[in-house]
Amino acid sequence: MFAAATKSFVKQVGDGGRLVPVPSLSEADKYQPLSLVVKKKRCFLFPRYKFTSTPFTLKDILLGDREISAGISSYQLLNYEDKSDVSLYGRRGNHIVNDVGINVTGSDSVAVKASFGVVTKHEVEVSTLLKEITTRKINFDHSLIRQTRSSRKAVLCVVMESIRTTRQCSLSVHAGIRGEAMRFHFMDEQNPKGRDKAIVFPAHTTIAFSVFELFIYLDGAFDLCITSVSKGGFEREETATFALLYRLRNILFERNRRVMDAISRSQLYLDDLFSDYYDKPLSMTDISLKEGTHIRVNLLNHNIPKGPCILCGMGNFKRETVYGCFQCSVDGQKYVRLHAVPCFDVWHKRMK
C-alpha cells in the first residue's frame, strides 16, 4: 500500500524523472540526504533500475574523519491529497491487492486514498559539496566499496534530496464495484469482512528521493554525475590502460609534428640559401677563385676525418663532407667543414 502511494505521488509530482519513490515504509528513514544507495539494473526485460538502501553515508566511505561541510536546505513543496480508483485487472491493482492482502470478492476496483498533507523538500547544497570532494578520496577497503566494485551492474549513488511528510499521515484502501453515476457503489450490507484496509505512519517519513551517481577513479578520486548524460561506476583497469595509451599516442603524434615542422623550416631555409647562390653569376659568387680569398682543402690530407658540413649538415640530416677551410674557425675549432659546392662559397659570402 505504501509503495503504491509513493509511486502515485512521484508520477503526479514529476520532477523530470529524477524522483524515485520510497519502496518500503520500513526503509523510509534510510533515504536521507548524503545517504548511500546502490542502483542496479534488474535485467534487459525491465528497463527500470532497482534502488537498494544501505546503512552508510558518504562520509563513511571517505578517507579521514573530517565531516562533510555541505549544508542541507529545506522548504515546503506542496499539500498532497489523492483519491483514485484502480482496476483490479491492471498491474497496479494486482500489486495493491497482493501488497495489502485485501478481500476483493465481488469487486472489480480498488479505491485508494492517500493523505500526506504538507510535504517538505530537503536538498544538499550541490555547489558546496562539489568544492569539498575535490580534496577527498574514496576508501577502497570499505566493505560497501568492495562489494559494489565486484559487480559491473551496480552503481553507487548518494541521495541529494528527499521529500518528507510534516504530520501523521494515513493510507486507506477499499474494494468495491465501479458505479455508473458515482465513483464507487459500496454495498455496505453485503460487504464481506476484510474489504477495507488502512495504515497510519508518523511525521517526517521520507516518501521520495533523488540521487547523483558516483564515478570512482582508480586513485580514489571521484566525481558526482550531476547530469543524466554522465554515468557512474568504477574506473576499470583496462579503461585506465586504454586512456594512458591514448594520451601517449597523442604526445608522440604532437612530438612528431613538431619535428616535421622544424625539418620543413630548415629545408626551406636551405632552399632559399642555395637558390640565392645559384641564381647569381659565378663571377659574383665563387669567392674562393678570387685573389686573397680563403682556400678549400681536403681535410683528409691533414688527418681530419669526414664529418657533417657546418652549413647543411646540422639537424636531423647529417650531410657529411671531407672538404673544409683552415682560414675559418668556429667554437674554438681551427677549421670548418664545408662542401666544395656550393656550401664553401655560400659560407664565405655570408662571413664577408
Side-chain angles (χ1 to χ4, degrees):
M1 188 189 304
F2 180 80
T6 56
K7 287 180 181 178
S8 178
F9 172 83
V10 170
K11 185 177 180 180
Q12 295 183 45
V13 173
D15 198 23
R18 294 179 58 247
L19 276 181
V20 180
V22 174
S24 171
L25 182 59
S26 61
E27 297 183 354
D29 60 335
K30 296 181 180 179
Y31 296 96
Q32 306 303 322
L34 295 179
S35 296
L36 295 176
V37 298
V38 177
K39 177 181 177 182
K40 190 174 183 180
K41 194 171 184 179
R42 300 172 187 267
C43 67
F44 69 94
L45 295 177
F46 297 92
R48 294 184 179 179
Y49 290 88
K50 179 182 179 181
F51 291 87
T52 305
S53 63
T54 71
F56 304 107
T57 64
L58 181 60
K59 174 186 174 297
D60 296 331
I61 63 171
L62 300 180
L63 294 173
D65 298 328
R66 191 170 80 245
E67 295 289 339
I68 296 177
S69 60
I72 299 175
S73 59
S74 60
Y75 57 90
Q76 289 188 0
L77 185 61
L78 51 84
N79 191 338
Y80 183 80
E81 303 284 342
D82 179 61
K83 297 178 181 180
S84 59
D85 59 288
V86 182
S87 173
L88 291 177
Y89 304 106
R91 183 176 61 180
R92 185 184 171 197
N94 290 329
H95 177 74
I96 294 175
V97 172
N98 295 330
D99 186 29
V100 179
I102 192 172
N103 187 350
V104 295
T105 304
S107 305
D108 63 358
S109 301
V110 177
V112 180
K113 180 181 179 181
S115 177
F116 290 159
V118 176
V119 297
T120 54
K121 187 175 184 179
H122 305 261
E123 56 186 2
V124 180
E125 296 176 356
V126 179
S127 58
T128 306
L129 183 60
L130 289 175
K131 293 178 181 178
E132 183 168 355
I133 64 175
T134 56
T135 59
R136 305 296 294 269
K137 299 285 186 179
I138 295 292
N139 180 13
F140 284 105
D141 293 330
H142 196 279
S143 59
L144 179 62
I145 298 297
R146 292 200 307 269
Q147 295 174 21
T148 309
R149 192 179 185 183
S150 63
S151 174
R152 289 182 176 270
K153 294 183 179 180
V155 177
L156 199 60
C157 306
V158 58
V159 177
M160 296 302 294
E161 62 180 16
S162 64
I163 296 178
R164 307 176 197 169
T165 61
T166 57
R167 62 171 176 80
Q168 182 175 281
C169 304
S170 63
L171 295 174
S172 59
V173 177
H174 180 89
I177 300 175
R178 193 186 301 270
E180 295 181 358
M182 58 190 336
R183 190 171 195 179
F184 281 96
H185 174 63
F186 300 121
M187 297 179 292
D188 295 333
E189 296 179 357
Q190 304 176 9
N191 190 17
K193 185 178 180 181
R195 191 178 291 274
D196 297 285
K197 291 284 184 177
I199 61 172
V200 177
F201 53 91
H204 310 297
T205 300
T206 303
I207 57 177
F209 63 95
S210 67
V211 300
F212 281 169
E213 297 181 9
L214 298 179
F215 186 83
I216 302 175
Y217 298 92
L218 291 175
D219 62 352
F222 65 100
D223 287 333
L224 285 178
C225 301
I226 60 178
T227 65
S228 59
V229 179
S230 54
K231 301 298 181 181
F234 289 86
E235 184 182 21
R236 304 295 175 180
E237 293 286 350
E238 57 270 22
T239 304
T241 303
F242 178 78
L244 178 61
L245 292 176
Y246 184 78
R247 288 196 294 268
L248 289 176
R249 186 189 73 88
N250 289 340
I251 292 174
L252 292 175
F253 178 81
E254 180 65 20
R255 186 175 182 181
N256 290 338
R257 187 188 64 81
R258 292 180 180 178
V259 170
M260 295 304 297
D261 288 344
I263 293 174
S264 177
R265 288 193 296 269
S266 301
Q267 190 63 41
L268 289 175
Y269 169 76
L270 291 175
D271 291 343
D272 292 340
L273 192 63
F274 293 149
S275 63
D276 180 66
Y277 170 81
Y278 285 114
D279 288 343
K280 294 185 179 181
L282 181 63
S283 59
M284 297 179 59
T285 58
D286 195 0
I287 302 175
S288 62
L289 299 180
K290 295 182 180 181
E291 184 179 357
T293 58
H294 293 199
I295 301 174
R296 66 171 66 93
V297 295
N298 190 327
L299 299 177
L300 294 177
N301 297 332
H302 300 271
N303 296 324
I304 298 176
K306 181 180 180 180
C309 174
I310 195 172
L311 190 60
C312 65
M314 300 295 110
N316 293 296
F317 295 105
K318 303 298 183 181
R319 302 175 66 180
E320 297 182 336
T321 181
V322 298
Y323 294 97
C325 177
F326 279 112
Q327 284 80 18
C328 296
S329 61
V330 175
D331 297 332
Q333 188 172 272
K334 297 182 178 180
Y335 64 92
V336 293
R337 291 188 180 91
L338 292 164
H339 283 100
V341 177
C343 298
F344 189 92
D345 291 326
V346 172
W347 169 265
H348 289 91
K349 179 182 176 183
R350 292 175 60 196
M351 296 300 292
K352 183 179 178 181

